[in-house]
Structures are given as structure tokens and as C-alpha cells.
Amino acid sequence: QVHLVESGGGLMQAGGSLRLSCAASGRTFGSYAMGWFRQAPGKDREFVAGISWSGGNTYYADSVKGRFTISRDNAKNTVYLQMNSLKPEDTAVYYCAADWVPRSPSLVTNRQSDYDYWGQGTQVTVSS
């Protein structure tokens, strides 16, 4: 089992940058693929980015490709989301999630149903 806590959200002007962090508890963080999702007011939660537990594979939603970068530090049990060139439409609650895949070091998915654990979320607000 893993417990996830996001941090780093806040208010930023359009064009600015933020880095979100997700700290995970548990001894087997290295066997989880990790993902970031977001939910804007009145909208469904959507996939943003994912990374395999090896760190070798990443996957991005088209809406953030080239602007956001996901990374992880397995020694620190932490996954990051670097968000650059922020837009007002990036305003949402951002969630990190963990997908238990101990035999698949290269696997990463954008399907919410594949993720087993979720954090509580951190608010990101981008003003125009």
C-alpha cells in the first residue's frame, strides 16, 4: 500500500511555472508507475502525464506536451510535475496516482481505472 501527498500548487500568472511534488510512503515505491491527473471545475478528471517505475517511459496528454515534464526520484519516493508556460485552462485540482506494476518497469498508462492509489490533490490556479 502507498499513501500519496501532493504539494506545490498555488496561484500563478499565465506564462509562469510551477513544480508539483508527490511524496509517497511505503517501501515499494519503485514498483509503481505514477501519474498526474487534473480536474477543472465542472469537468471530469483527466490524465495529464505518467511515468513508468523505471523512469524510462513517459506519457503526456496532448494538451500539456512540450510544456509539462514528469520525473521521479525513487530514492526520495517522490514524483514531480514541472509545469511551464502555464495557461488559464491549466487551472484545476491536480492529483497524483500510483499504479502497482511490479513486473512491468516500462509500463505507463493514461487510464484512471488502472491506478490503485490517489492523493488528495493540490489546487493550481492560473490567472490571465
Side-chain angles (χ1 to χ4, degrees):
Q1 191 168 358
V2 64
H3 181 62
L4 305 173
V5 179
E6 302 95 336
S7 61
L11 174 64
M12 179 58 63
Q13 287 190 329
S17 298
L18 282 173
R19 188 176 82 155
L20 305 183
S21 300
C22 174
S25 65
R27 297 174 296 173
T28 57
F29 178 72
S31 294
Y32 288 89
M34 299 298 295
W36 285 98
F37 293 79
R38 67 186 181 186
Q39 187 168 20
K43 295 187 177 181
D44 293 334
R45 188 164 58 187
E46 64 177 3
F47 173 78
V48 175
I51 187 167
S52 60
W53 68 249
S54 70
N57 282 349
T58 56
Y59 186 7
Y60 295 93
D62 288 343
S63 58
V64 306
K65 205 172 292 183
R67 300 188 298 122
F68 291 10
T69 303
I70 189 170
S71 61
R72 66 189 295 159
D73 185 337
N74 286 348
K76 296 182 177 179
N77 282 13
T78 302
V79 63
Y80 305 97
L81 185 68
Q82 178 66 43
M83 305 186 296
N84 298 329
S85 302
L86 283 163
K87 303 176 180 180
E89 51 263 44
D90 294 319
T91 295
V93 177
Y94 283 72
Y95 300 90
C96 73
D99 177 17
W100 172 246
V101 285
R103 298 183 183 86
S104 303
S106 300
L107 181 66
V108 57
T109 177
N110 64 343
R111 291 192 300 264
Q112 295 189 46
S113 59
D114 285 343
Y115 287 84
D116 305 294
Y117 301 100
W118 294 80
Q120 293 299 306
T122 185
Q123 176 71 47
V124 171
T125 303
V126 184
S127 62
S128 57

